[in-house]
Amino acid sequence: MSDVSMLDPLPSHDLKLNPHAPHPDFPWFIGVPSDWALLDTNPESWQRSAARMVDDRFFGQRLRAAERRGVLQFVEQLVADCQRAGTALSLVRLGRMSTGAVGSAGLHLGWFDSAPQPAGLALVRQTLPRTGTAEEVDTPLGPGILHRDVASTVPPGGLTRVRSTVLQLFLPLSGTTWTAVLSAATPHPELEQMLTDVIVAVAQSITPADPADVAAAHEARRDHEAERGHETQRDGEHD
């Protein structure tokens, strides 16, 4: 189980974010559970990092060759999915289930920019799937929405379809056009409550580094958009 009361503060400027993934133009902080590992999705280093992470996570445990291959396949598929989705930050949890089988779970952070519309719950509700359930979650930045659904999926490294619980938590950052989107899924029923606790705790830890930075970034964007508008108008006059 993750101890969601023990979150490590993780400043975004210390992370090597995917340069192609959208993310706010101001510094932000996020806390991650101490027993989860950061997933390296860099094309040049992820394979070495994956092997090291798997060995570290199962240090001192007997991991059969077939189990190790299965875990590495899971990580490989997870990396590929994150690269395609433009995920800004991914975490992974590996370990033994109560049955003795190897279990795994992923937690991913993406950012959605709704410019020129400001971020807000009304906009989030318009994008929610028609299936599943949604509930509001309190955070220091204001309410977010946790959406829960089930899906039939083939887990990374698996061969057959299984029932998976799928969680998505949307947290609009008030005063900006940015919404943090946390997502997680697991085919293991015994991990569902842990995953729910973790995704809520991580969402509650997200915060801008300094409100002044948010205001400055918003002002810079507004000036940039105004300048682009003037340039478009001048080009039209020249035509």
Side-chain angles (χ1 to χ4, degrees), residues 139-214:
T139 81
L141 295 181
I145 293 181
L146 175 63
H147 181 264
R148 183 190 305 269
D149 208 345
V150 295
S152 176
T153 62
V154 179
L159 298 175
T160 58
R161 287 188 171 275
V162 297
R163 174 194 177 278
S164 291
T165 296
V166 181
L167 303 173
Q168 282 189 299
L169 200 156
F170 302 83
L171 178 61
L173 271 62
S174 179
T176 79
T177 60
W178 292 96
T179 297
V181 184
L182 289 162
S183 59
T186 180
H188 308 295
E190 72 177 86
L191 295 182
E192 291 179 10
Q193 187 58 54
M194 177 274 289
L195 211 54
T196 300
D197 294 342
V198 168
I199 199 172
V200 171
V202 172
Q204 291 173 334
S205 74
I206 296 175
T207 182
D210 187 340
D213 293 331
V214 177

Side-chain angles (χ1 to χ4, degrees), residues 9 31 42 49 52 78 91-92 132 195 205:
N42 188 313
S49 177
R52 186 169 58 250
L78 199 59
L91 307 171
V92 65
L195 211 54
S205 74

Side-chain angles (χ1 to χ4, degrees), residues 70 100 111 118 133 143 176 224:
W111 290 95
T133 61
T176 79
H224 177 67

